Amino acid sequence: MQTTLSAEYQNTPDGLAAEAIVRKCVHCGFCTATCPTYQLLGDELDGPRGRIYLIKQVLEGATPTRSTQMHLDRCLTCRNCESTCPSGVDYGHLLDIGRKLVDAKVLRPLPEKALRWALKEGLPSPLFGPAMTLGQLVRPLLPAVLKVKVPPRQQAGLWPRRSHARQVLLLAGCAQPAMGPNIHSATARVLDAAGIQAVVAPKAGCCGAVKFHLNDQDGGKAEMRANIDAWWPFIESASGQGVEAILMNASGCGVTVKDYGHILRDDPAYADKAARVSALTRDLSEWLPELVVALRGKVETTGQPALVFHPPCTLQHGQKLRGGVESHLAELGFRVRLARQESHLCCGSAGTYSVLNPTLSYQLRDRKLENLQAAQAEVIISANIGCITHLQSGTSVAVKHWVEVLDAALSQDAVNA
């Protein structure tokens, strides 16, 4: 797509990066076929092609409006369009730039601004955990609109005490320890059974995605730098035996940490370290082939529930990881399948999207659950805390992280070995 940058954006990092991405778009429209918001709304400007055109107009000097901002806000950033695009358009990075440029020129109404501030400051805050605990204590008294955002309290189980020569880092994160604490401990127990020790750096926190995607890009970058600082001693160990990988059991965090190298590429103090961190980062499912070998004979799958897997967008589109979870769990004897219809579509969670765009979010959730429940499985499994919580808010069927199911099937011999 031909683009002529206005003087304002010529020779700027954002302008040059956006121009290069826009030029790849051939306006074919394949992306609209897999865009969730276009499917719901049927508006060209609520699909990737239309949003690219809006960003192109801004780059060429057009004044953005509240309507421009609204159409960009409605994007889930699911990146399904990237999986569909035959030209390799880097839509996710273009949207980050477009939202930044538009928000710099379009003033948001005060209530909207306040809500976005509360989300970007509240979710990564150390106070989020205690606030969630309080919400869980009074959950029966909460109105329905709040109750669906507060999952019942979960017991995490014991963290393994054994030490192993092989070590990997886990990111504690912000929402997951409060909303699904068993996911981390289940991950540690599964790795322990395979002879691998999970380590959590005490000073590492939010991956930076919440602030970055709410257009506090400087705040998001500060959290990314803080994580790099917290991880670096484990990567550059004095003994020379650094961690083998940074394993992510929340695909939303994983897709962001894998992008640190890109986001901080112009930071002279952190560019090289960020690239190293991104190179070390793996989704937990990427280690499943090795775990299958190590755990074969240590997993009791007889009597285990039938499973249906919802692959998060951050896993299948953001990280381009498809087929691994269901195929490798099947190798261990689990009965697991994908939904027959629309397994590629977003569930509507998308980070803070369910708070900022609840109507569209819940339409997508219910559509996703209809397809998942058609598989007649006893448990829905996924790979991201946001998807798990969002889906669970609309069904009585248990929704869990796949590693929790694997952990529950470990034999006592494997746990106590």
Side-chain angles (χ1 to χ4, degrees):
M1 190 184 296
Q2 185 67 33
T3 306
T4 304
L5 293 178
S6 68
E8 182 179 3
Y9 301 120
Q10 287 178 4
N11 300 317
T12 66
D14 284 340
L16 294 173
E19 180 186 31
I21 297 170
V22 171
R23 284 180 177 272
K24 281 190 172 184
C25 178
V26 297
H27 223 60
C28 66
F30 285 6
C31 55
T32 58
T34 55
C35 175
T37 50
Y38 180 79
Q39 290 196 18
L40 290 179
L41 300 170
D43 187 334
E44 174 76 8
L45 296 180
D46 284 311
R49 183 170 62 178
R51 293 186 180 110
I52 289 172
Y53 191 73
L54 289 173
I55 295 169
K56 176 180 180 290
Q57 287 180 316
V58 174
L59 291 169
E60 293 180 335
T63 302
T65 65
R66 272 289 287 167
S67 177
T68 310
Q69 191 176 58
M70 177 192 69
H71 289 299
L72 298 188
D73 284 349
R74 281 181 181 167
C75 179
L76 293 134
T77 323
C78 71
R79 295 168 67 176
N80 201 336
C81 54
E82 292 185 15
S83 295
T84 311
C85 179
S87 303
V89 175
D90 189 358
Y91 175 81
H93 288 145
L94 177 64
L95 185 69
D96 287 336
I97 296 170
R99 283 173 166 167
K100 177 182 176 182
L101 301 184
V102 170
D103 275 17
K105 295 191 172 187
V106 179
L107 187 66
R108 292 184 181 274
L110 187 57
E112 186 177 303
K113 192 173 181 179
L115 176 58
R116 294 169 73 89
W117 180 88
L119 288 169
K120 76 180 183 69
E121 297 299 329
L123 284 173
S125 169
L127 298 177
F128 178 74
M132 180 57 64
T133 300
L134 178 61
Q136 290 168 330
L137 291 173
V138 300
R139 189 173 184 271
L141 306 177
L142 295 176
V145 69
L146 291 179
K147 187 180 291 186
V148 297
K149 299 296 183 187
V150 180
R153 197 166 187 179
Q154 182 187 77
Q155 294 299 318
L158 296 176
W159 194 274
R161 295 183 177 181
R162 294 182 294 190
S163 297
H164 299 284
R166 300 183 64 190
Q167 294 188 344
V168 296
L169 277 167
L170 298 182
L171 171 65
C174 50
Q176 186 163 281
M179 302 178 79
N182 188 51
I183 296 172
H184 270 332
S185 55
T187 301
R189 291 189 293 268
V190 167
L191 291 170
D192 177 66
I196 302 165
Q197 184 176 356
V199 179
V200 177
K203 294 184 180 180
C206 179
C207 67
V210 173
K211 288 186 176 181
F212 195 87
H213 291 303
L214 285 173
N215 206 36
D216 180 4
Q217 295 191 8
D218 289 339
K221 288 177 181 179
E223 291 176 333
M224 295 172 192
R225 295 185 189 102
N227 286 339
I228 293 170
D229 289 341
W231 287 331
W232 204 248
F234 296 89
I235 296 170
E236 292 285 289
S237 171
S239 66
Q241 299 295 317
V243 293
E244 291 185 40
I246 305 170
L247 288 191
M248 294 289 159
N249 54 16
S251 59
C253 297
V255 73
T256 298
V257 178
K258 285 184 176 183
D259 210 27
Y260 278 16
H262 173 82
I263 295 171
L264 296 175
R265 65 194 183 282
D266 296 323
D267 186 323
Y270 282 87
D272 290 342
K273 289 183 177 181
R276 176 87 178 275
V277 164
S278 291
L280 278 172
T281 301
R282 296 288 183 273
D283 185 80
L284 182 61
S285 67
E286 292 182 83
W287 271 43
L288 260 176
E290 180 176 344
L291 294 177
V292 166
V293 174
L295 297 179
R296 193 169 279 126
K298 299 181 180 181
V299 177
E300 299 172 350
T301 56
T302 303
Q304 289 293 324
L307 309 170
V308 60
F309 178 53
H310 161 61
C313 299
T314 45
L315 187 71
Q316 63 174 324
H317 304 306
Q319 299 184 59
K320 303 294 188 286
L321 297 174
R322 302 183 189 88
V325 172
E326 57 270 35
S327 63
H328 294 306
L329 288 182
E331 284 186 60
L332 287 171
F334 291 94
R335 293 173 293 152
V336 57
R337 64 181 66 178
L338 290 176
R340 291 184 179 180
Q341 302 289 330
E342 299 185 344
S343 65
H344 62 288
L345 279 188
C346 184
C347 71
S349 173
T352 58
Y353 192 91
S354 64
V355 177
L356 298 171
N357 295 279
T359 300
L360 295 175
S361 176
Y362 290 127
Q363 285 178 331
L364 290 169
R365 180 200 67 181
D366 295 344
R367 180 170 173 164
K368 175 62 66 176
L369 284 170
E370 183 179 351
N371 287 310
L372 289 169
Q373 290 168 342
Q376 297 183 329
E378 298 165 89
V379 175
I380 298 168
I381 56 173
S382 192
N384 190 54
I385 183 62
C387 302
I388 292 166
T389 305
H390 188 57
L391 291 172
Q392 190 67 83
S393 71
T395 181
S396 59
V397 177
V399 186
K400 299 181 179 181
H401 194 292
W402 63 261
V403 79
E404 295 181 279
V405 175
L406 179 53
D407 168 59
L410 286 175
S411 66
Q412 284 304 305
D413 289 342
V415 173
N416 298 321

